[in-house]
């Protein structure tokens, strides 16, 4: 159970892989192996196949970083995607579920959410850009001014392509240089 919880946490629960790996490396240096803490002993453990018992003991003795590496290796070997690790509406995938075909994995999903980023602005039209940022984001004057002055900054995130294009047009008309990511 501990490894599956760890697998779900490492599988992309809102943390980017690079930051997660760095955090895991730091934590691994401070954390004792998982096996050092005895969580629960059951009578079923006594009836367990010695091979399985040894495997459980080995996994329990892994450090957090090693457990994350094991999770990644098993997901790759078994063809399990991160989406499969996240339960949809509280249901886990069926035990006999087959991995998705390789052709579907190779096709990159089309991006549906975009970020609008103000790269720079014309100093002569700074006030117009601030007013447009206020109108588009609903920020107060102070917040909009700080956002514009600290460019490059993200103006809006997770917007549809059409909305992102519209925001870009409005900000560029006001004198800003905008990038859609």
């Amino acid at each position: 159970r501990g490894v599956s919880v760890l697998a779900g946490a490492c599988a992309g629960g809102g943390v980017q892989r690079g930051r997660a790996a760095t955090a895991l490396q730091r934590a691994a240096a401070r954390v004792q192996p998982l096996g050092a803490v005895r969580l629960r002993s059951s009578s079923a453990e006594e009836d367990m196949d010695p091979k399985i018992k040894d495997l459980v003991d080995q996994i329990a003795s892994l450090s957090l970083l090693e457990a994350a590496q094991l999770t990644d290796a098993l997901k790759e070997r078994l063809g399990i995607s991160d989406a499969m690790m996240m339960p949809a509406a509280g249901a886990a995938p069926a035990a006999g579920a087959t991995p998705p075909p390789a052709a579907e994995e190779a096709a990159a999903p089309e991006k549906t959410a975009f970020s609008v980023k103000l790269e720079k602005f014309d100093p002569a039209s700074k006030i117009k850009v601030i007013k447009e940022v206020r109108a588009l984001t609903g920020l107060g004057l102070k917040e909009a001014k700080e956002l514009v002055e600290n460019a490059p900054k993200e103006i809006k995130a997770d917007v549809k392509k059409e909305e992102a294009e519209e925001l870009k047009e409005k900000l560029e008309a006001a004198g800003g240089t905008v990038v859609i990511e």
Side-chain angles (χ1 to χ4, degrees):
R1 167 129 173 82
V3 174
S4 66
V5 170
L6 178 64
C10 293
V15 179
Q16 296 173 344
R17 280 196 184 273
R19 289 185 12 217
T22 305
L24 284 172
Q25 289 171 344
R26 277 190 256 130
R30 296 187 308 255
V31 176
Q32 55 185 319
L34 296 174
V37 177
R38 187 85 170 157
L39 297 177
R40 187 182 302 178
S41 178
S42 67
S43 61
E45 191 174 301
E46 296 168 4
D47 300 332
M48 197 180 302
D49 180 19
K51 182 178 177 181
I52 300 298
K53 188 173 181 178
D54 289 342
L55 186 58
V56 169
D57 290 338
Q58 288 176 356
I59 291 172
S61 68
L62 295 175
S63 70
L64 195 55
L65 180 59
E66 291 168 333
Q69 291 171 344
L70 173 64
T71 301
D72 290 339
L74 285 173
K75 284 193 306 185
E76 184 178 322
R77 167 95 37 102
L78 299 174
I80 300 171
S81 69
D82 289 342
M84 292 173 135
M85 295 298 291
M86 303 304 259
T98 59
E104 288 180 25
E105 289 180 358
E110 187 174 326
K111 191 171 181 181
T112 58
F114 296 86
S115 296
V116 179
K117 186 175 181 182
L118 177 67
E119 287 292 318
K120 58 184 178 178
F121 60 92
D122 180 26
S125 59
K126 177 179 175 180
I127 294 172
K128 289 184 211 174
V129 175
I130 292 172
K131 285 182 181 180
E132 196 60 45
V133 168
R134 281 189 69 197
L136 296 172
T137 61
L139 293 174
L141 179 61
K142 181 181 177 185
E143 292 85 6
K145 181 177 183 251
E146 287 175 359
L147 194 142
V148 170
E149 289 176 342
N150 294 325
K153 282 284 187 178
E154 187 175 86
I155 302 295
K156 262 194 168 179
D158 297 328
V159 295
K160 294 180 181 175
K161 186 173 185 173
E162 297 80 27
E163 185 181 352
E165 292 290 339
E166 185 179 318
L167 294 171
K168 181 179 179 181
E169 286 177 23
K170 289 180 179 181
L171 286 168
E172 286 180 343
T177 303
V178 180
V179 175
I180 297 176
E181 299 176 337

